[in-house]
Amino acid sequence: MLRTEKVLQLRGQQGRAVRVVREHYLRPDVPCRSALCRSAQCRAACTRDGKLLSDDVTHYVVPDCKVVQEYLEILEFPELKGIIFMQTACQAVQHQKGRRQYNKLRNLLKDPRHDCTVFANEFHQHCYLPREKGESMEKWQTRNIYSAAAWYYNHCLGQMPVVMVTEDEDAIRQYGNETEGVFVISFKNYLDNFWPDLKAAHELFDSIAQARRERESESQENHGKEYPEHLPVEILESGIKSGRYLQGTLNVNKHRAQLEAFVRLQGFGSKDTELQSDILIYGAKARNRAIHGDVVVVELLPVHEWKGRTVALCENETEDKAPADTTGDPMPTGKVVGIIQKNWRDYVVTFPSKEESQTQGRNAQKVLVTPWDYRIPKIRISTQQAEALQEYRVVVRIDSWESTSLYPNGHFVRVLGRIGDLEGEIAAILVENSISAAPFSEIQMSEMPVSSPKNPWKVSPEEEKKRLDLRDTHLIFSIDPKGCEDVDDALSVRTLANGNLELGVHIADVTHFVAANSYTDVEARARATTYYLADRRYDMLPSVLSADVCSLLSGVDRYAVSVLWELEKESYETLRVQYTRTLIRSAYKLEYETAQGLLDGDTSVVRDILELKSLDEGMRQKKLAELVWAISKLTDIARHIRAKRDRCGALELEGIEIRVQLDDRRNIHDLIPKQPLEVHETVAECMILANHWVAKRISEDFPHQALLRQHPPPRQEFFTELRECASAKGFSIDTRSNKALAESLDRANDPSDPIVNKLLRSMATHAMSNALYFSTGSCPEEQFHHYGLALEKYTHFTSPIRRYADIVVHRLLMAATLKGTTGDVKDNIISNKYLEELSRHINNRNRAAQRAQKQSTELFQCMYFRDRSAESDERCVADGVVYSIRTNGVLVFVPRYGIKGAAYMKNKEGLVISCQGAGSCQWKPGSLHRSQHKITSTTTTGDSVTLSLFDHITVRILVQTSRCHADTIKLEIIRNAPHHTADTEATQKSFHVVKSDLVKEVSQSAEEAQCAQERARVEVMDEESQEFCQTKGPSLYQLLEEIRELALLDVTEDITM
């Protein structure tokens, strides 16, 4: 090892340049990570590092610093293989392009689907070149990278040509012919000669190059300031510490995107100012170029300049002023003075139509594109394809937003699909939520166990000896939706020799097949969850695991992780608990309806139990009696568990479930309310119990590095609308604790209208904060509590097939049980710092999955109603219930379809609604008067219509189409009277057993795609269901997690401000 010195030019806190000299050590054994390497020492180091650069390419590519900084998006193309990122280029990205771009580069290097690697050239004694006196940083970086490229060629014994790509013309002239086998060319030349048919890469290169030229041109022009400059970082940080400035995340109101944004406080500011609400950022100027999702620094305005939030219904209009009578009470208001972190991402946009493009200015190549997300401002890009792409959804990225520009500058990335086309709209949802839909790579699939119909997977004799064998001692069975193949949990109950009961929850042992830090594990960690859309799903794990080897199917041996409780035979109190790896064979794969039939004593469902068909009558009756006893006993135990949680304040939040039925052409045939069964409750309670006990165990053994799930108490101000609505019916809601809230909601029941209680529970759900994963080392123990479940400790353990958090918990549990044995505990334990970072990632991906699922469901709902005539189709007319009053209309819940929407009582022309008896409503001149619990429309002729909270009205369901954004549901009042149909009555009768919030999922399966341990969710009935069905669905506790973002306080984010 050689010792040398490295001179760094750093910038101090006051902005002064500081020259720092540091020791720098060089060694000869830095791994090259190439499969062509013939050096034994180097190959040993490469093997330890894992990923190797392929030798199945025509050449290796070495991009210089500028190419990596400017064209990383092109280098991400999977077609480009054999890329060597030099350490010098990676550090340049880190120091000059910021954390977001550097993280993209790191993720690219980690991704096993991309054939690329990093070479630490600055630590190799034959590659590193000291910076010469007077040499610019750019020249030194290029010289170092070329030196490393030449070494790489010689190190591989000339077996592979090396192409260095650069934007430096001097470097091309100087090094182009210096070393045989090492070519130095421009990046454009490289694409033209090596990838002439890769059209997408050429288009992206032209787009980025054009955007660069535009930025350089604008920087030379003398523009006036459109926005104030952001304050330096050191001033922002000191201001946050002193309390002068406040830090938080910007959330734009998508219904008033030009006017309203809110900052949720975090860090020092929220403690020092004692503010109990978000900060309103009013107007684009006050937002000062911050984009939705950015972490910003805010300065509060004087109190006399504070404004109120908009309380009127609106339709995503672009007006930059709000009428004075439509705002609420003044709230803390501020302005953005700096941005701590820019959380920019890919944005789906639409080009202007021919008519709009003619009014956009003199330069035809500069185009203002409109993002799909209302909360994102228009983006100016430079392209020559604007006219050709007018009917397409495309992806763009933001490059910069200068203070001299009204709009951010960006560049075109790729085309998604035609506007209105199903595949294009689904692709837009995926991009907007940063969801990768790429198939699993060959290297990941190579890690999978072999299993096929001719050669099914079998238990290994070595593993069999290590596990507790339950195959002959326990009656184990699963309860799942019809046709479901992904069974990740099973149950058992039996009587012990001492008369007590043993309850068992058996979960698929996914971690046996997914080793920590394997390629499959890295991919599962990146995805974090399975993504369910209306007509498809994107699995977290390959199907050979999720639908075969890990699936607890009946009649086959499977590995499981089991939790076994010994319960007192009468009180069902827990006497002992055991956590262990087991070997099981499920006896029955039951459907929910079949299990409920057995519970109710309906013998006709026996014919649906395939496992009993081959038995003779005597044996069939014996086995049936055992199964009926087990289901009945499980249900009895579950009732006891639920009652115990109820006494502690567990919340019961109701909603409506919608089954989405597809026809043969995969079009939505109908939206049908579905009544859940008591057996859903039984399975859910068993899963909650397992999650709770596992949380207790791992937090006891690893108090500073266990992954738990917390649900903090909601902020009291979020309950304001709930309390006001309840008072309209004479009910009082106590929100001081979860127990008080649960008891209040139980009492708030109108015998004549069960929808009242349902809506109140829905409002309570929307007032809740989000449940989040966290590391026990980053949070005091008094904050571990799960508010909704009324449990001191909770985690997710029961769905490792579709949640990465459960995989982490499985590893922690196994490490806890292996303590004191020969097992390697360290492999399953990760540091608190890393676990905290992982928790944030999983929380972020879960929110993305929920948004994508919701947007996908709304897409299919709009497709359902768009294809029908609103005037003549009776399915477009339904009963609605008023649940919120606004200044210009009401918010309405439609039980038949589980839809919430805005119904206007005053239109854009200023006319108000007038209903004549039982006939249809008309628009007439007049005025509106709003009070706390009702709103009255009075025409100039003296006719009046009054709508009060919880009134039933008849509405027509329409689809409001948009060229640039997603279509939305719109409601129109047609009668001031209930709409009675057989469906309405059936829906109302089922309310007393409905247990989930208004969260609608459409998953392509023969029956409702829901988890065995959780409640039923929306299903899609389709002939292709076998391909997509998976145990999935919301339960009581998951409903508390699947609520809207609380950036806005209104009950429904999607239909009001």
Side-chain angles (χ1 to χ4, degrees):
M1 182 178 290
L2 299 179
R3 177 183 175 275
T4 183
E5 292 182 346
K6 189 175 183 180
V7 180
L8 303 176
Q9 297 290 338
L10 304 179
R11 191 170 296 279
Q13 291 186 351
Q14 283 75 35
R16 299 174 184 171
V18 180
R19 185 175 183 270
V20 178
V21 179
R22 289 181 178 169
E23 291 182 345
H24 192 68
Y25 293 91
L26 305 174
R27 31 187 273 228
D29 59 342
V30 176
C32 67
R33 298 190 175 92
S34 171
L36 292 171
C37 179
R38 294 294 178 263
S39 167
Q41 185 181 27
C42 186
R43 284 189 66 83
C46 291
T47 303
R48 288 196 303 270
D49 287 347
K51 184 177 177 181
L52 292 179
L53 204 61
S54 171
D55 57 357
D56 186 24
V57 292
T58 60
H59 62 279
Y60 285 156
V61 188
V62 178
D64 79 343
C65 296
K66 284 297 181 184
V67 171
V68 177
Q69 290 177 20
E70 299 294 341
Y71 299 106
L72 181 59
E73 298 163 53
I74 300 177
L75 297 174
E76 290 175 328
F77 276 52
E79 291 85 355
L80 272 62
K81 300 178 184 294
I83 305 176
I84 305 169
F85 291 95
M86 297 298 174
Q87 174 193 357
T88 302
C90 295
Q91 290 179 341
V93 172
Q94 181 181 16
H95 297 311
Q96 298 176 32
K97 299 298 282 188
R99 178 168 41 178
R100 183 173 62 94
Q101 190 80 345
Y102 182 60
N103 285 338
K104 284 183 62 177
L105 176 57
R106 289 179 60 194
N107 292 335
L108 175 65
L109 290 166
K110 292 178 183 177
D111 194 335
R113 293 170 301 193
H114 291 273
D115 185 25
C116 60
T117 191
V118 62
F119 177 58
N121 64 301
E122 293 192 16
F123 291 108
H124 199 293
Q125 68 182 45
H126 299 305
C127 296
Y128 177 74
L129 301 175
R131 188 175 171 186
E132 297 176 353
K133 187 175 181 179
E135 185 178 27
S136 69
M137 176 64 73
E138 290 76 14
K139 295 296 182 184
W140 172 77
Q141 289 171 335
T142 301
R143 189 162 59 91
N144 252 301
I145 291 175
Y146 176 77
S147 171
W151 175 89
Y152 219 101
Y153 174 75
N154 293 317
H155 178 73
C156 294
L157 305 179
Q159 300 175 81
M160 184 70 68
V162 176
V163 180
M164 175 179 168
V165 289
T166 178
E167 294 295 281
D168 186 343
E169 294 292 338
D170 293 337
I172 295 174
R173 287 191 293 269
Q174 181 178 353
Y175 303 119
N177 299 310
E178 186 169 306
T179 304
E180 183 180 358
V182 180
F183 306 90
V184 183
I185 60 177
S186 70
F187 194 42
K188 184 177 188 334
N189 192 3
Y190 173 73
L191 292 177
D192 289 342
N193 287 280
F194 288 86
W195 301 99
D197 299 325
L198 193 57
K199 183 180 177 182
H202 289 273
E203 291 177 347
L204 184 53
F205 178 87
D206 293 339
S207 177
I208 296 173
Q210 180 66 23
R212 284 182 59 195
R213 288 192 292 270
E214 295 289 347
R215 290 200 306 272
E216 293 168 359
S217 173
E218 286 186 5
S219 64
Q220 297 173 1
E221 297 177 10
N222 185 21
H223 288 290
K225 299 282 186 185
E226 299 288 351
Y227 297 96
E229 294 288 350
H230 294 146
L231 297 178
V233 174
E234 54 269 18
I235 295 179
L236 296 176
E237 291 177 347
S238 61
I240 293 170
K241 291 180 181 179
S242 67
R244 178 181 177 182
Y245 301 137
L246 309 170
Q247 178 178 325
T249 302
L250 186 77
N251 290 280
V252 177
N253 178 355
K254 71 176 183 179
H255 300 280
R256 293 284 187 189
Q258 301 298 314
L259 282 180
E260 290 184 353
F262 301 88
V263 173
R264 174 67 44 82
L265 298 182
Q266 63 186 50
F268 292 97
S270 59
K271 298 177 183 177
D272 298 341
T273 61
E274 299 183 356
L275 287 177
Q276 297 299 315
S277 69
D278 298 337
I279 298 175
L280 171 65
I281 308 297
Y282 191 86
K285 294 291 184 183
R287 209 175 299 171
N288 194 8
R289 294 171 286 150
I291 292 175
H292 174 78
D294 287 351
V295 179
V296 299
V297 178
V298 175
E299 181 180 18
L300 280 178
L301 298 176
V303 175
H304 68 272
E305 295 184 27
W306 288 7
K307 298 181 182 294
R309 62 182 302 130
T310 306
V311 295
L313 299 174
C314 48
E315 298 180 352
N316 310 96
E317 297 299 328
T318 58
E319 63 267 16
D320 55 5
K321 291 185 179 180
D325 61 347
T326 64
T327 57
D329 297 332
M331 64 182 296
T333 306
K335 63 180 180 180
V336 174
V337 295
I339 301 176
I340 296 292
Q341 182 177 332
K342 296 175 180 177
N343 289 321
W344 298 348
R345 55 175 174 81
D346 287 0
Y347 299 103
V348 178
V349 302
T350 306
F351 280 80
S353 62
K354 289 183 179 180
E355 296 76 14
E356 295 170 325
S357 60
Q358 292 174 357
T359 64
Q360 282 213 359
R362 46 187 170 80
N363 192 336
Q365 290 187 352
K366 288 186 178 181
V367 184
L368 276 179
V369 293
T370 303
W372 188 85
D373 188 342
Y374 283 100
R375 299 169 297 188
I376 308 303
K378 290 184 177 180
I379 302 169
R380 184 172 60 223
I381 68 172
S382 298
T383 179
Q384 298 177 348
Q385 305 179 68
E387 186 174 348
L389 296 175
Q390 286 176 345
E391 301 303 320
Y392 290 86
R393 301 263 189 240
V394 302
V395 178
V396 302
R397 288 175 183 164
I398 295 177
D399 299 315
S400 64
W401 194 348
E402 306 300 331
S403 60
T404 55
S405 175
L406 279 173
Y407 301 101
N409 294 307
H411 64 270
F412 164 83
V413 177
R414 68 181 186 275
V415 177
L416 291 179
R418 283 190 174 275
I419 298 171
D421 176 70
L422 176 61
E423 291 305 314
E425 298 301 321
I426 290 292
I429 291 173
L430 295 178
V431 170
E432 282 294 314
N433 293 285
S434 302
I435 295 173
S436 171
F440 292 98
S441 67
E442 290 184 13
I443 194 168
Q444 290 158 356
M445 296 306 296
S446 68
E447 297 177 338
M448 295 296 98
V450 176
S451 184
S452 65
K454 292 183 178 180
N455 183 27
W457 174 86
K458 294 179 181 179
V459 171
S460 73
E462 296 79 10
E463 189 67 24
E464 184 175 357
K465 296 175 184 178
K466 300 177 184 178
R467 293 175 177 264
L468 178 63
D469 194 340
L470 307 181
R471 290 176 291 182
D472 299 325
T473 58
H474 289 63
L475 172 63
I476 298 175
F477 56 92
S478 62
I479 306 176
D480 287 281
K482 185 184 232 178
C484 180
E485 296 179 352
D486 302 348
V487 183
D488 52 9
D489 54 73
L491 299 168
S492 68
V493 63
R494 64 172 182 159
T495 303
L496 300 175
N498 61 7
N500 290 331
L501 295 172
E502 183 190 74
L503 170 66
V505 171
H506 314 276
I507 307 301
D509 190 0
V510 173
T511 57
H512 175 81
F513 301 98
V514 181
N517 298 317
S518 63
Y519 289 115
T520 305
D521 184 57
V522 170
E523 179 66 19
R525 186 189 311 152
R527 299 190 184 202
T529 183
T530 292
Y531 298 94
Y532 291 82
L533 302 188
D535 61 338
R536 65 200 74 189
R537 81 164 189 249
Y538 300 100
D539 286 323
M540 184 183 77
L541 295 172
S543 60
V544 67
L545 293 182
S546 61
D548 187 3
V549 176
C550 288
S551 185
L552 306 184
L553 304 172
S554 66
V556 292
D557 296 343
R558 289 292 182 259
Y559 296 151
V561 177
S562 300
V563 184
L564 303 168
W565 296 266
E566 182 179 345
L567 306 177
E568 204 281 325
K569 59 183 177 182
E570 293 182 357
S571 66
Y572 300 143
E573 291 299 319
T574 300
L575 303 177
R576 186 178 65 89
V577 63
Q578 179 184 6
Y579 312 89
T580 184
R581 274 186 157 147
T582 56
L583 181 58
I584 70 170
R585 182 186 298 130
S586 176
Y588 303 98
K589 182 178 178 293
L590 300 176
E591 299 166 7
Y592 278 115
E593 292 76 13
T594 303
Q596 185 66 46
L598 295 177
L599 187 62
D600 296 337
D602 181 4
T603 58
S604 65
V605 300
V606 176
R607 63 176 180 270
D608 297 326
I609 305 177
L610 299 178
E611 294 84 354
L612 294 178
K613 288 189 174 182
S614 61
L615 303 179
D616 59 61
E617 184 61 27
M619 183 59 70
R620 183 185 301 118
Q621 291 302 323
K622 179 184 176 181
K623 294 290 186 181
L624 181 61
E626 293 174 350
L627 181 59
V628 170
W629 177 87
I631 295 174
S632 301
K633 185 58 67 174
L634 280 175
T635 302
D636 198 28
I637 294 171
R639 290 169 182 162
H640 171 83
I641 298 171
R642 173 68 206 208
K644 186 176 181 179
R645 289 197 304 109
D646 284 344
R647 290 193 294 271
C648 296
L651 294 173
E652 181 178 300
L653 302 172
E654 298 194 359
I656 192 168
E657 297 165 1
I658 299 298
R659 183 179 49 163
V660 179
Q661 199 171 36
L662 297 181
D663 60 22
D664 294 339
R665 297 181 181 179
R666 299 181 68 184
N667 296 317
I668 296 185
H669 177 67
D670 201 359
L671 302 173
I672 306 170
K674 191 177 188 303
Q675 176 178 323
L677 310 170
E678 185 180 11
V679 73
H680 296 144
E681 288 287 319
T682 298
V683 178
E685 285 301 330
C686 292
M687 298 304 123
I688 292 173
L689 184 69
N691 288 333
H692 171 54
W693 278 89
V694 169
K696 290 170 64 175
R697 177 61 192 267
I698 63 175
S699 61
E700 289 169 1
D701 283 70
F702 307 108
H704 303 297
Q705 49 201 139
L707 181 67
L708 299 189
R709 191 160 177 82
Q710 65 180 171
H711 183 219
R715 290 161 58 172
Q716 287 299 308
E717 61 267 27
F718 292 162
F719 285 120
T720 301
E721 188 158 10
L722 169 64
R723 288 192 289 260
E724 291 178 352
C725 287
S727 66
K729 282 287 186 177
F731 301 125
S732 176
I733 303 295
D734 186 349
T735 61
R736 289 175 295 178
S737 69
N738 55 353
K739 183 174 177 61
L741 175 60
E743 292 174 348
S744 299
L745 290 172
D746 288 340
R747 291 191 297 267
N749 186 39
D750 185 348
S752 63
D753 190 358
I755 297 182
V756 172
N757 187 263
K758 181 179 186 60
L759 283 172
L760 292 177
R761 291 184 185 274
S762 175
M763 292 179 189
T765 302
H766 285 292
M768 299 294 164
S769 53
N770 286 311
L772 300 169
Y773 297 106
F774 70 100
S775 171
T776 50
S778 62
C779 183
E781 189 166 354
E782 57 268 20
Q783 296 181 14
F784 289 7
H785 184 75
H786 197 292
Y787 178 88
L789 291 178
L791 295 172
E792 291 302 319
K793 293 178 181 177
Y794 194 70
T795 192
H796 275 163
F797 159 77
T798 54
S799 294
I801 286 177
R802 64 181 179 84
R803 289 189 306 228
Y804 190 76
D806 300 56
I807 290 180
V808 175
V809 170
H810 272 238
R811 289 173 180 155
L812 287 168
L813 181 62
M814 290 302 99
T817 58
L818 288 173
K819 275 192 171 182
T821 70
T822 58
D824 191 351
V825 175
K826 292 183 179 179
D827 288 346
N828 291 329
I829 304 305
I830 52 182
S831 68
N832 170 64
K833 181 179 179 181
Y834 179 78
L835 191 57
E836 189 176 2
E837 180 181 337
L838 179 61
S839 298
R840 284 194 294 268
H841 167 69
I842 297 175
N843 290 331
N844 178 275
R845 290 294 81 211
N846 281 349
R847 285 190 291 267
Q850 293 159 14
R851 287 193 302 267
Q853 185 182 79
K854 180 174 178 290
Q855 291 162 357
S856 174
T857 302
E858 291 170 347
L859 170 64
F860 272 75
Q861 284 180 329
C862 289
M863 290 170 57
Y864 174 75
F865 289 108
R866 187 178 60 200
D867 296 337
R868 285 160 176 79
S869 171
E871 299 297 329
S872 59
D873 196 323
E874 63 179 13
R875 288 172 291 188
C876 295
V877 177
D879 185 63
V881 184
V882 176
Y883 71 90
S884 187
I885 307 294
R886 293 291 186 262
T887 57
N888 58 341
V890 293
L891 298 179
V892 178
F893 168 51
V894 182
R896 169 66 177 84
Y897 299 113
I899 290 173
K900 286 182 176 179
Y904 289 84
M905 298 182 69
K906 187 175 186 178
N907 63 17
K908 294 179 180 179
E909 288 72 34
L911 303 178
V912 299
I913 200 164
S914 173
C915 297
Q916 304 296 326
S920 61
C921 297
Q922 299 176 341
W923 296 104
K924 295 183 178 180
S927 61
L928 293 180
H929 175 71
R930 175 202 180 199
S931 61
Q932 186 176 9
H933 298 146
K934 62 183 180 181
I935 183 171
T936 301
S937 168
T938 305
T939 66
T940 54
T941 59
D943 299 329
S944 66
V945 176
T946 298
L947 296 183
S948 302
L949 284 174
F950 304 111
D951 277 357
H952 286 253
I953 59 177
T954 301
V955 296
R956 179 177 286 115
I957 304 172
L958 308 167
V959 176
Q960 183 170 317
T961 60
S962 173
R963 183 175 173 275
C964 299
H965 311 282
D967 293 346
T968 55
I969 294 292
K970 181 179 179 181
L971 302 180
E972 182 181 278
I973 301 173
I974 59 176
R975 280 192 303 276
N976 184 18
H979 181 69
H980 291 292
T981 65
D983 289 334
T984 305
E985 295 174 2
T987 301
Q988 292 192 12
K989 287 179 181 178
S990 68
F991 279 167
H992 69 284
V993 292
V994 177
K995 298 291 183 185
S996 65
D997 185 39
L998 299 169
V999 181
K1000 300 161 293 295
E1001 175 188 338
V1002 188
S1003 57
Q1004 187 172 341
S1005 55
E1007 289 290 308
E1008 187 174 11
Q1010 63 188 73
C1011 285
Q1013 74 274 32
E1014 301 170 345
R1015 308 215 195 268
R1017 229 189 221 188
V1018 179
E1019 66 167 326
V1020 177
M1021 295 172 54
D1022 182 61
E1023 61 182 4
E1024 299 181 16
S1025 62
Q1026 295 296 324
E1027 181 181 356
F1028 294 114
C1029 60
Q1030 178 164 334
T1031 307
K1032 176 74 173 81
S1035 68
L1036 172 67
Y1037 57 95
Q1038 203 174 18
L1039 296 172
L1040 299 171
E1041 306 155 15
E1042 298 193 5
I1043 61 178
R1044 64 176 175 83
E1045 298 174 2
L1046 295 176
L1048 309 174
L1049 302 182
D1050 298 89
V1051 174
T1052 306
E1053 179 193 34
D1054 292 329
I1055 55 180
T1056 187
M1057 299 59 62

